[in-house]
Amino acid sequence: QVQLVESGGRLVQAGDSLRLSCLASGRIFSVYRVGWFRRAPGEERESVGSITWIGGTTNYADSVKGRFTISRDMAKNTVYLEMNNLKPEDTAVYYCNRNGGSGWYLPWGQGTQVTVSS
C-alpha cells in the first residue's frame, strides 16, 4: 500500500507563486497516476490535474491551465504542484491521491490549506 502526505500550503497574496509537495511512502511501484485535487469553502472536491509516475504525462483542469504545473522527483518519491499567478478563487484545501489502475484511493488525507488574499 501507499501513503501520501501533502505540505506547503500557506497564506499568500494574489499574484504570488507557491509550490505544494506530495510525499509518497510504501509500495511506490504500485502507483500509476498521482493527482492533485482541491475543495473550496462550500464547494465539492474537484480535480486540479495529474501526472503519470513513470512517463510523467500531465493533464490539467481548464481553470488552472497555463498557471499550474505538476512535476515529480522520483528519487525523492515526491510530486509537486507549482502554482503561479494565484487568484482568490484558488483558495482551497489541496489534496493529492494515487490511482493504481482501478480508481482513486479512499479515504482522503488531511490536505494542505492554501489561502489567497486580494
Side-chain angles (χ1 to χ4, degrees):
Q1 64 180 17
V2 179
Q3 184 175 2
L4 305 178
V5 179
E6 308 94 338
S7 63
R10 64 180 180 89
L11 173 65
V12 298
Q13 187 177 5
D16 284 354
S17 297
L18 189 65
R19 188 178 75 169
L20 306 182
S21 298
C22 175
L23 176 63
S25 61
R27 299 167 66 86
I28 307 301
F29 63 86
S30 68
V31 174
Y32 173 70
R33 182 180 295 273
V34 176
W36 283 98
F37 302 79
R38 67 185 182 185
R39 187 179 65 192
E43 303 289 340
E44 295 291 321
R45 182 181 287 106
E46 66 174 354
S47 174
V48 175
S50 68
I51 186 169
T52 59
W53 183 248
I54 299 299
T57 301
T58 57
N59 56 57
Y60 302 94
D62 288 341
S63 59
V64 306
K65 196 174 301 180
R67 297 189 298 122
F68 291 11
T69 301
I70 299 174
S71 62
R72 83 268 196 258
D73 186 333
M74 301 181 74
K76 295 182 177 180
N77 293 332
T78 301
V79 175
Y80 302 101
L81 177 64
E82 178 70 35
M83 304 182 292
N84 301 122
N85 191 26
L86 282 162
K87 305 175 180 180
E89 51 262 45
D90 295 318
T91 295
V93 178
Y94 284 72
Y95 305 85
C96 61
N97 206 342
R98 72 282 194 186
N99 192 321
S102 301
W104 301 104
Y105 279 55
L106 295 175
W108 293 87
Q110 190 172 358
T112 185
Q113 176 73 51
V114 174
T115 302
V116 184
S117 66
S118 59

PDB file of all heavy atoms in Angstrom, residues 50-86:
ATOM      1  N   SER A  50      -3.130  15.927 -12.962  1.00  0.00           N
ATOM      2  CA  SER A  50      -2.488  14.681 -12.565  1.00  0.00           C
ATOM      3  C   SER A  50      -1.240  14.440 -13.400  1.00  0.00           C
ATOM      4  O   SER A  50      -1.002  15.111 -14.411  1.00  0.00           O
ATOM      5  CB  SER A  50      -3.451  13.500 -12.689  1.00  0.00           C
ATOM      6  OG  SER A  50      -3.762  13.232 -14.044  1.00  0.00           O
ATOM      7  N   ILE A  51      -0.440  13.456 -12.961  1.00  0.00           N
ATOM      8  CA  ILE A  51       0.780  13.080 -13.653  1.00  0.00           C
ATOM      9  C   ILE A  51       0.966  11.573 -13.534  1.00  0.00           C
ATOM     10  O   ILE A  51       0.687  10.992 -12.484  1.00  0.00           O
ATOM     11  CB  ILE A  51       2.001  13.836 -13.076  1.00  0.00           C
ATOM     12  CG1 ILE A  51       3.265  13.555 -13.888  1.00  0.00           C
ATOM     13  CG2 ILE A  51       2.215  13.486 -11.604  1.00  0.00           C
ATOM     14  CD1 ILE A  51       4.429  14.464 -13.528  1.00  0.00           C
ATOM     15  N   THR A  52       1.414  10.914 -14.597  1.00  0.00           N
ATOM     16  CA  THR A  52       1.763   9.500 -14.508  1.00  0.00           C
ATOM     17  C   THR A  52       3.136   9.377 -13.877  1.00  0.00           C
ATOM     18  O   THR A  52       4.048  10.160 -14.158  1.00  0.00           O
ATOM     19  CB  THR A  52       1.748   8.818 -15.884  1.00  0.00           C
ATOM     20  OG1 THR A  52       2.682   9.460 -16.762  1.00  0.00           O
ATOM     21  CG2 THR A  52       0.357   8.872 -16.500  1.00  0.00           C
ATOM     22  N   TRP A  53       3.298   8.391 -12.985  1.00  0.00           N
ATOM     23  CA  TRP A  53       4.520   8.278 -12.204  1.00  0.00           C
ATOM     24  C   TRP A  53       5.727   7.947 -13.069  1.00  0.00           C
ATOM     25  O   TRP A  53       6.791   8.539 -12.911  1.00  0.00           O
ATOM     26  CB  TRP A  53       4.347   7.227 -11.110  1.00  0.00           C
ATOM     27  CG  TRP A  53       5.538   7.105 -10.215  1.00  0.00           C
ATOM     28  CD1 TRP A  53       6.390   6.044 -10.121  1.00  0.00           C
ATOM     29  CD2 TRP A  53       6.016   8.088  -9.294  1.00  0.00           C
ATOM     30  NE1 TRP A  53       7.365   6.299  -9.200  1.00  0.00           N
ATOM     31  CE2 TRP A  53       7.166   7.548  -8.671  1.00  0.00           C
ATOM     32  CE3 TRP A  53       5.584   9.364  -8.935  1.00  0.00           C
ATOM     33  CZ2 TRP A  53       7.892   8.250  -7.715  1.00  0.00           C
ATOM     34  CZ3 TRP A  53       6.308  10.061  -7.990  1.00  0.00           C
ATOM     35  CH2 TRP A  53       7.443   9.507  -7.391  1.00  0.00           C
ATOM     36  N   ILE A  54       5.587   7.007 -13.992  1.00  0.00           N
ATOM     37  CA  ILE A  54       6.705   6.583 -14.816  1.00  0.00           C
ATOM     38  C   ILE A  54       6.931   7.515 -16.005  1.00  0.00           C
ATOM     39  O   ILE A  54       8.042   8.005 -16.226  1.00  0.00           O
ATOM     40  CB  ILE A  54       6.510   5.138 -15.320  1.00  0.00           C
ATOM     41  CG1 ILE A  54       6.420   4.170 -14.131  1.00  0.00           C
ATOM     42  CG2 ILE A  54       7.648   4.746 -16.245  1.00  0.00           C
ATOM     43  CD1 ILE A  54       7.655   4.148 -13.256  1.00  0.00           C
ATOM     44  N   GLY A  55       5.899   7.792 -16.779  1.00  0.00           N
ATOM     45  CA  GLY A  55       6.052   8.556 -18.002  1.00  0.00           C
ATOM     46  C   GLY A  55       6.060  10.064 -17.826  1.00  0.00           C
ATOM     47  O   GLY A  55       6.577  10.785 -18.683  1.00  0.00           O
ATOM     48  N   GLY A  56       5.475  10.565 -16.738  1.00  0.00           N
ATOM     49  CA  GLY A  56       5.436  11.997 -16.494  1.00  0.00           C
ATOM     50  C   GLY A  56       4.412  12.751 -17.329  1.00  0.00           C
ATOM     51  O   GLY A  56       4.509  13.976 -17.462  1.00  0.00           O
ATOM     52  N   THR A  57       3.440  12.055 -17.900  1.00  0.00           N
ATOM     53  CA  THR A  57       2.400  12.702 -18.692  1.00  0.00           C
ATOM     54  C   THR A  57       1.417  13.425 -17.781  1.00  0.00           C
ATOM     55  O   THR A  57       0.924  12.847 -16.815  1.00  0.00           O
ATOM     56  CB  THR A  57       1.653  11.673 -19.549  1.00  0.00           C
ATOM     57  OG1 THR A  57       2.581  11.010 -20.417  1.00  0.00           O
ATOM     58  CG2 THR A  57       0.575  12.350 -20.388  1.00  0.00           C
ATOM     59  N   THR A  58       1.123  14.687 -18.085  1.00  0.00           N
ATOM     60  CA  THR A  58       0.269  15.518 -17.237  1.00  0.00           C
ATOM     61  C   THR A  58      -1.017  15.914 -17.935  1.00  0.00           C
ATOM     62  O   THR A  58      -1.110  15.912 -19.164  1.00  0.00           O
ATOM     63  CB  THR A  58       0.993  16.794 -16.799  1.00  0.00           C
ATOM     64  OG1 THR A  58       1.431  17.513 -17.958  1.00  0.00           O
ATOM     65  CG2 THR A  58       2.200  16.466 -15.934  1.00  0.00           C
ATOM     66  N   ASN A  59      -2.022  16.266 -17.132  1.00  0.00           N
ATOM     67  CA  ASN A  59      -3.227  16.918 -17.609  1.00  0.00           C
ATOM     68  C   ASN A  59      -3.692  17.891 -16.538  1.00  0.00           C
ATOM     69  O   ASN A  59      -3.352  17.743 -15.363  1.00  0.00           O
ATOM     70  CB  ASN A  59      -4.325  15.917 -17.988  1.00  0.00           C
ATOM     71  CG  ASN A  59      -4.696  14.970 -16.863  1.00  0.00           C
ATOM     72  OD1 ASN A  59      -5.075  15.404 -15.768  1.00  0.00           O
ATOM     73  ND2 ASN A  59      -4.606  13.674 -17.122  1.00  0.00           N
ATOM     74  N   TYR A  60      -4.476  18.917 -16.962  1.00  0.00           N
ATOM     75  CA  TYR A  60      -4.874  19.986 -16.053  1.00  0.00           C
ATOM     76  C   TYR A  60      -6.317  20.398 -16.291  1.00  0.00           C
ATOM     77  O   TYR A  60      -6.833  20.310 -17.407  1.00  0.00           O
ATOM     78  CB  TYR A  60      -3.989  21.220 -16.242  1.00  0.00           C
ATOM     79  CG  TYR A  60      -2.519  20.969 -16.034  1.00  0.00           C
ATOM     80  CD1 TYR A  60      -1.692  20.671 -17.104  1.00  0.00           C
ATOM     81  CD2 TYR A  60      -1.966  21.034 -14.760  1.00  0.00           C
ATOM     82  CE1 TYR A  60      -0.336  20.438 -16.915  1.00  0.00           C
ATOM     83  CE2 TYR A  60      -0.614  20.803 -14.563  1.00  0.00           C
ATOM     84  CZ  TYR A  60       0.192  20.505 -15.636  1.00  0.00           C
ATOM     85  OH  TYR A  60       1.535  20.275 -15.446  1.00  0.00           O
ATOM     86  N   ALA A  61      -6.949  20.885 -15.226  1.00  0.00           N
ATOM     87  CA  ALA A  61      -8.260  21.491 -15.360  1.00  0.00           C
ATOM     88  C   ALA A  61      -8.132  22.823 -16.093  1.00  0.00           C
ATOM     89  O   ALA A  61      -7.108  23.506 -15.994  1.00  0.00           O
ATOM     90  CB  ALA A  61      -8.892  21.708 -13.986  1.00  0.00           C
ATOM     91  N   ASP A  62      -9.178  23.207 -16.823  1.00  0.00           N
ATOM     92  CA  ASP A  62      -9.144  24.459 -17.578  1.00  0.00           C
ATOM     93  C   ASP A  62      -8.903  25.670 -16.681  1.00  0.00           C
ATOM     94  O   ASP A  62      -8.273  26.643 -17.105  1.00  0.00           O
ATOM     95  CB  ASP A  62     -10.444  24.648 -18.355  1.00  0.00           C
ATOM     96  CG  ASP A  62     -10.576  23.699 -19.531  1.00  0.00           C
ATOM     97  OD1 ASP A  62      -9.547  23.147 -19.981  1.00  0.00           O
ATOM     98  OD2 ASP A  62     -11.710  23.510 -20.015  1.00  0.00           O
ATOM     99  N   SER A  63      -9.383  25.621 -15.447  1.00  0.00           N
ATOM    100  CA  SER A  63      -9.279  26.760 -14.551  1.00  0.00           C
ATOM    101  C   SER A  63      -7.848  27.073 -14.124  1.00  0.00           C
ATOM    102  O   SER A  63      -7.565  28.191 -13.685  1.00  0.00           O
ATOM    103  CB  SER A  63     -10.150  26.529 -13.310  1.00  0.00           C
ATOM    104  OG  SER A  63      -9.745  25.358 -12.625  1.00  0.00           O
ATOM    105  N   VAL A  64      -6.939  26.104 -14.246  1.00  0.00           N
ATOM    106  CA  VAL A  64      -5.555  26.302 -13.823  1.00  0.00           C
ATOM    107  C   VAL A  64      -4.567  26.156 -14.963  1.00  0.00           C
ATOM    108  O   VAL A  64      -3.368  26.396 -14.766  1.00  0.00           O
ATOM    109  CB  VAL A  64      -5.174  25.338 -12.684  1.00  0.00           C
ATOM    110  CG1 VAL A  64      -6.164  25.444 -11.536  1.00  0.00           C
ATOM    111  CG2 VAL A  64      -5.089  23.900 -13.192  1.00  0.00           C
ATOM    112  N   LYS A  65      -5.021  25.779 -16.138  1.00  0.00           N
ATOM    113  CA  LYS A  65      -4.146  25.544 -17.281  1.00  0.00           C
ATOM    114  C   LYS A  65      -3.358  26.809 -17.614  1.00  0.00           C
ATOM    115  O   LYS A  65      -3.921  27.893 -17.732  1.00  0.00           O
ATOM    116  CB  LYS A  65      -4.966  25.083 -18.478  1.00  0.00           C
ATOM    117  CG  LYS A  65      -4.161  24.453 -19.599  1.00  0.00           C
ATOM    118  CD  LYS A  65      -5.081  23.905 -20.683  1.00  0.00           C
ATOM    119  CE  LYS A  65      -6.041  22.869 -20.136  1.00  0.00           C
ATOM    120  NZ  LYS A  65      -6.942  22.331 -21.191  1.00  0.00           N
ATOM    121  N   GLY A  66      -2.042  26.665 -17.759  1.00  0.00           N
ATOM    122  CA  GLY A  66      -1.174  27.795 -18.041  1.00  0.00           C
ATOM    123  C   GLY A  66      -0.625  28.473 -16.809  1.00  0.00           C
ATOM    124  O   GLY A  66       0.319  29.262 -16.917  1.00  0.00           O
ATOM    125  N   ARG A  67      -1.197  28.201 -15.640  1.00  0.00           N
ATOM    126  CA  ARG A  67      -0.731  28.782 -14.380  1.00  0.00           C
ATOM    127  C   ARG A  67      -0.092  27.752 -13.455  1.00  0.00           C
ATOM    128  O   ARG A  67       0.854  28.072 -12.739  1.00  0.00           O
ATOM    129  CB  ARG A  67      -1.879  29.470 -13.640  1.00  0.00           C
ATOM    130  CG  ARG A  67      -2.484  30.652 -14.375  1.00  0.00           C
ATOM    131  CD  ARG A  67      -3.452  31.413 -13.476  1.00  0.00           C
ATOM    132  NE  ARG A  67      -4.586  30.580 -13.069  1.00  0.00           N
ATOM    133  CZ  ARG A  67      -4.918  30.322 -11.803  1.00  0.00           C
ATOM    134  NH1 ARG A  67      -4.194  30.836 -10.808  1.00  0.00           N
ATOM    135  NH2 ARG A  67      -5.972  29.568 -11.533  1.00  0.00           N
ATOM    136  N   PHE A  68      -0.620  26.529 -13.441  1.00  0.00           N
ATOM    137  CA  PHE A  68      -0.136  25.471 -12.549  1.00  0.00           C
ATOM    138  C   PHE A  68       0.664  24.442 -13.336  1.00  0.00           C
ATOM    139  O   PHE A  68       0.348  24.146 -14.494  1.00  0.00           O
ATOM    140  CB  PHE A  68      -1.307  24.757 -11.864  1.00  0.00           C
ATOM    141  CG  PHE A  68      -2.048  25.577 -10.850  1.00  0.00           C
ATOM    142  CD1 PHE A  68      -1.842  26.941 -10.714  1.00  0.00           C
ATOM    143  CD2 PHE A  68      -2.974  24.964 -10.020  1.00  0.00           C
ATOM    144  CE1 PHE A  68      -2.533  27.696  -9.781  1.00  0.00           C
ATOM    145  CE2 PHE A  68      -3.678  25.697  -9.077  1.00  0.00           C
ATOM    146  CZ  PHE A  68      -3.460  27.062  -8.956  1.00  0.00           C
ATOM    147  N   THR A  69       1.684  23.863 -12.693  1.00  0.00           N
ATOM    148  CA  THR A  69       2.499  22.821 -13.301  1.00  0.00           C
ATOM    149  C   THR A  69       2.713  21.688 -12.303  1.00  0.00           C
ATOM    150  O   THR A  69       3.106  21.930 -11.163  1.00  0.00           O
ATOM    151  CB  THR A  69       3.864  23.361 -13.754  1.00  0.00           C
ATOM    152  OG1 THR A  69       3.686  24.421 -14.698  1.00  0.00           O
ATOM    153  CG2 THR A  69       4.681  22.244 -14.406  1.00  0.00           C
ATOM    154  N   ILE A  70       2.450  20.458 -12.727  1.00  0.00           N
ATOM    155  CA  ILE A  70       2.682  19.273 -11.906  1.00  0.00           C
ATOM    156  C   ILE A  70       3.962  18.583 -12.375  1.00  0.00           C
ATOM    157  O   ILE A  70       4.158  18.384 -13.576  1.00  0.00           O
ATOM    158  CB  ILE A  70       1.494  18.307 -11.972  1.00  0.00           C
ATOM    159  CG1 ILE A  70       0.224  18.991 -11.452  1.00  0.00           C
ATOM    160  CG2 ILE A  70       1.779  17.026 -11.192  1.00  0.00           C
ATOM    161  CD1 ILE A  70      -1.035  18.160 -11.624  1.00  0.00           C
ATOM    162  N   SER A  71       4.816  18.210 -11.428  1.00  0.00           N
ATOM    163  CA  SER A  71       6.049  17.502 -11.742  1.00  0.00           C
ATOM    164  C   SER A  71       6.328  16.484 -10.650  1.00  0.00           C
ATOM    165  O   SER A  71       5.651  16.462  -9.628  1.00  0.00           O
ATOM    166  CB  SER A  71       7.226  18.475 -11.880  1.00  0.00           C
ATOM    167  OG  SER A  71       7.462  19.173 -10.670  1.00  0.00           O
ATOM    168  N   ARG A  72       7.332  15.612 -10.869  1.00  0.00           N
ATOM    169  CA  ARG A  72       7.689  14.646  -9.834  1.00  0.00           C
ATOM    170  C   ARG A  72       9.188  14.442  -9.789  1.00  0.00           C
ATOM    171  O   ARG A  72       9.872  14.555 -10.806  1.00  0.00           O
ATOM    172  CB  ARG A  72       6.972  13.296 -10.021  1.00  0.00           C
ATOM    173  CG  ARG A  72       7.631  12.331 -11.009  1.00  0.00           C
ATOM    174  CD  ARG A  72       7.048  12.526 -12.387  1.00  0.00           C
ATOM    175  NE  ARG A  72       7.351  11.397 -13.263  1.00  0.00           N
ATOM    176  CZ  ARG A  72       8.301  11.415 -14.185  1.00  0.00           C
ATOM    177  NH1 ARG A  72       9.043  12.513 -14.365  1.00  0.00           N
ATOM    178  NH2 ARG A  72       8.490  10.352 -14.950  1.00  0.00           N
ATOM    179  N   ASP A  73       9.691  14.144  -8.603  1.00  0.00           N
ATOM    180  CA  ASP A  73      11.079  13.786  -8.368  1.00  0.00           C
ATOM    181  C   ASP A  73      11.064  12.344  -7.889  1.00  0.00           C
ATOM    182  O   ASP A  73      10.759  12.071  -6.728  1.00  0.00           O
ATOM    183  CB  ASP A  73      11.713  14.719  -7.335  1.00  0.00           C
ATOM    184  CG  ASP A  73      13.199  14.478  -7.153  1.00  0.00           C
ATOM    185  OD1 ASP A  73      13.659  13.349  -7.395  1.00  0.00           O
ATOM    186  OD2 ASP A  73      13.910  15.425  -6.764  1.00  0.00           O
ATOM    187  N   MET A  74      11.380  11.416  -8.774  1.00  0.00           N
ATOM    188  CA  MET A  74      11.266  10.002  -8.448  1.00  0.00           C
ATOM    189  C   MET A  74      12.257   9.579  -7.367  1.00  0.00           C
ATOM    190  O   MET A  74      11.957   8.690  -6.568  1.00  0.00           O
ATOM    191  CB  MET A  74      11.449   9.157  -9.715  1.00  0.00           C
ATOM    192  CG  MET A  74      10.423   9.482 -10.797  1.00  0.00           C
ATOM    193  SD  MET A  74      10.601   8.480 -12.298  1.00  0.00           S
ATOM    194  CE  MET A  74       9.952   6.919 -11.724  1.00  0.00           C
ATOM    195  N   ALA A  75      13.430  10.213  -7.307  1.00  0.00           N
ATOM    196  CA  ALA A  75      14.418   9.891  -6.289  1.00  0.00           C
ATOM    197  C   ALA A  75      13.934  10.268  -4.899  1.00  0.00           C
ATOM    198  O   ALA A  75      14.334   9.656  -3.904  1.00  0.00           O
ATOM    199  CB  ALA A  75      15.743  10.583  -6.589  1.00  0.00           C
ATOM    200  N   LYS A  76      13.076  11.287  -4.805  1.00  0.00           N
ATOM    201  CA  LYS A  76      12.545  11.740  -3.529  1.00  0.00           C
ATOM    202  C   LYS A  76      11.128  11.237  -3.264  1.00  0.00           C
ATOM    203  O   LYS A  76      10.549  11.570  -2.227  1.00  0.00           O
ATOM    204  CB  LYS A  76      12.555  13.270  -3.464  1.00  0.00           C
ATOM    205  CG  LYS A  76      13.940  13.883  -3.481  1.00  0.00           C
ATOM    206  CD  LYS A  76      13.860  15.402  -3.367  1.00  0.00           C
ATOM    207  CE  LYS A  76      15.241  16.022  -3.321  1.00  0.00           C
ATOM    208  NZ  LYS A  76      15.176  17.502  -3.201  1.00  0.00           N
ATOM    209  N   ASN A  77      10.573  10.456  -4.187  1.00  0.00           N
ATOM    210  CA  ASN A  77       9.202   9.948  -4.053  1.00  0.00           C
ATOM    211  C   ASN A  77       8.210  11.079  -3.805  1.00  0.00           C
ATOM    212  O   ASN A  77       7.308  10.959  -2.968  1.00  0.00           O
ATOM    213  CB  ASN A  77       9.111   8.907  -2.935  1.00  0.00           C
ATOM    214  CG  ASN A  77       9.872   7.641  -3.243  1.00  0.00           C
ATOM    215  OD1 ASN A  77      10.050   7.271  -4.398  1.00  0.00           O
ATOM    216  ND2 ASN A  77      10.337   6.959  -2.200  1.00  0.00           N
ATOM    217  N   THR A  78       8.371  12.167  -4.542  1.00  0.00           N
ATOM    218  CA  THR A  78       7.586  13.375  -4.304  1.00  0.00           C
ATOM    219  C   THR A  78       6.986  13.898  -5.602  1.00  0.00           C
ATOM    220  O   THR A  78       7.659  13.926  -6.637  1.00  0.00           O
ATOM    221  CB  THR A  78       8.448  14.473  -3.664  1.00  0.00           C
ATOM    222  OG1 THR A  78       8.978  13.997  -2.423  1.00  0.00           O
ATOM    223  CG2 THR A  78       7.627  15.722  -3.403  1.00  0.00           C
ATOM    224  N   VAL A  79       5.727  14.317  -5.533  1.00  0.00           N
ATOM    225  CA  VAL A  79       5.043  15.002  -6.625  1.00  0.00           C
ATOM    226  C   VAL A  79       4.796  16.439  -6.192  1.00  0.00           C
ATOM    227  O   VAL A  79       4.387  16.686  -5.057  1.00  0.00           O
ATOM    228  CB  VAL A  79       3.725  14.308  -6.994  1.00  0.00           C
ATOM    229  CG1 VAL A  79       2.971  15.111  -8.052  1.00  0.00           C
ATOM    230  CG2 VAL A  79       3.998  12.896  -7.502  1.00  0.00           C
ATOM    231  N   TYR A  80       5.038  17.388  -7.096  1.00  0.00           N
ATOM    232  CA  TYR A  80       4.903  18.807  -6.793  1.00  0.00           C
ATOM    233  C   TYR A  80       3.759  19.434  -7.573  1.00  0.00           C
ATOM    234  O   TYR A  80       3.422  19.002  -8.678  1.00  0.00           O
ATOM    235  CB  TYR A  80       6.193  19.559  -7.131  1.00  0.00           C
ATOM    236  CG  TYR A  80       7.410  19.054  -6.403  1.00  0.00           C
ATOM    237  CD1 TYR A  80       8.323  18.227  -7.037  1.00  0.00           C
ATOM    238  CD2 TYR A  80       7.639  19.408  -5.079  1.00  0.00           C
ATOM    239  CE1 TYR A  80       9.448  17.764  -6.372  1.00  0.00           C
ATOM    240  CE2 TYR A  80       8.756  18.949  -4.411  1.00  0.00           C
ATOM    241  CZ  TYR A  80       9.659  18.130  -5.054  1.00  0.00           C
ATOM    242  OH  TYR A  80      10.775  17.673  -4.391  1.00  0.00           O
ATOM    243  N   LEU A  81       3.177  20.473  -6.995  1.00  0.00           N
ATOM    244  CA  LEU A  81       2.219  21.325  -7.679  1.00  0.00           C
ATOM    245  C   LEU A  81       2.738  22.753  -7.585  1.00  0.00           C
ATOM    246  O   LEU A  81       2.672  23.368  -6.518  1.00  0.00           O
ATOM    247  CB  LEU A  81       0.828  21.213  -7.062  1.00  0.00           C
ATOM    248  CG  LEU A  81      -0.248  22.119  -7.669  1.00  0.00           C
ATOM    249  CD1 LEU A  81      -0.499  21.753  -9.130  1.00  0.00           C
ATOM    250  CD2 LEU A  81      -1.542  22.039  -6.864  1.00  0.00           C
ATOM    251  N   GLU A  82       3.280  23.276  -8.695  1.00  0.00           N
ATOM    252  CA  GLU A  82       3.767  24.646  -8.761  1.00  0.00           C
ATOM    253  C   GLU A  82       2.614  25.538  -9.210  1.00  0.00           C
ATOM    254  O   GLU A  82       2.057  25.333 -10.290  1.00  0.00           O
ATOM    255  CB  GLU A  82       4.936  24.748  -9.734  1.00  0.00           C
ATOM    256  CG  GLU A  82       5.488  26.152  -9.903  1.00  0.00           C
ATOM    257  CD  GLU A  82       6.220  26.649  -8.679  1.00  0.00           C
ATOM    258  OE1 GLU A  82       6.878  25.828  -8.002  1.00  0.00           O
ATOM    259  OE2 GLU A  82       6.149  27.863  -8.388  1.00  0.00           O
ATOM    260  N   MET A  83       2.263  26.513  -8.395  1.00  0.00           N
ATOM    261  CA  MET A  83       1.141  27.401  -8.658  1.00  0.00           C
ATOM    262  C   MET A  83       1.659  28.819  -8.871  1.00  0.00           C
ATOM    263  O   MET A  83       2.331  29.366  -7.998  1.00  0.00           O
ATOM    264  CB  MET A  83       0.143  27.359  -7.504  1.00  0.00           C
ATOM    265  CG  MET A  83      -0.366  25.959  -7.194  1.00  0.00           C
ATOM    266  SD  MET A  83      -1.596  25.930  -5.865  1.00  0.00           S
ATOM    267  CE  MET A  83      -0.555  26.385  -4.472  1.00  0.00           C
ATOM    268  N   ASN A  84       1.349  29.403 -10.025  1.00  0.00           N
ATOM    269  CA  ASN A  84       1.770  30.749 -10.367  1.00  0.00           C
ATOM    270  C   ASN A  84       0.559  31.655 -10.560  1.00  0.00           C
ATOM    271  O   ASN A  84      -0.530  31.195 -10.879  1.00  0.00           O
ATOM    272  CB  ASN A  84       2.611  30.740 -11.645  1.00  0.00           C
ATOM    273  CG  ASN A  84       3.852  29.880 -11.546  1.00  0.00           C
ATOM    274  OD1 ASN A  84       4.051  28.953 -12.336  1.00  0.00           O
ATOM    275  ND2 ASN A  84       4.693  30.182 -10.563  1.00  0.00           N
ATOM    276  N   ASN A  85       0.779  32.966 -10.383  1.00  0.00           N
ATOM    277  CA  ASN A  85      -0.284  33.954 -10.561  1.00  0.00           C
ATOM    278  C   ASN A  85      -1.551  33.542  -9.820  1.00  0.00           C
ATOM    279  O   ASN A  85      -2.642  33.489 -10.392  1.00  0.00           O
ATOM    280  CB  ASN A  85      -0.567  34.164 -12.050  1.00  0.00           C
ATOM    281  CG  ASN A  85      -1.463  35.358 -12.313  1.00  0.00           C
ATOM    282  OD1 ASN A  85      -1.509  36.304 -11.532  1.00  0.00           O
ATOM    283  ND2 ASN A  85      -2.195  35.309 -13.424  1.00  0.00           N
ATOM    284  N   LEU A  86      -1.415  33.268  -8.547  1.00  0.00           N
ATOM    285  CA  LEU A  86      -2.544  32.796  -7.747  1.00  0.00           C
ATOM    286  C   LEU A  86      -3.640  33.845  -7.648  1.00  0.00           C
ATOM    287  O   LEU A  86      -3.375  35.050  -7.597  1.00  0.00           O
ATOM    288  CB  LEU A  86      -2.066  32.400  -6.358  1.00  0.00           C
ATOM    289  CG  LEU A  86      -1.369  31.039  -6.298  1.00  0.00           C
ATOM    290  CD1 LEU A  86      -0.549  30.911  -5.026  1.00  0.00           C
ATOM    291  CD2 LEU A  86      -2.399  29.917  -6.386  1.00  0.00           C
TER     292      LEU A  86
END
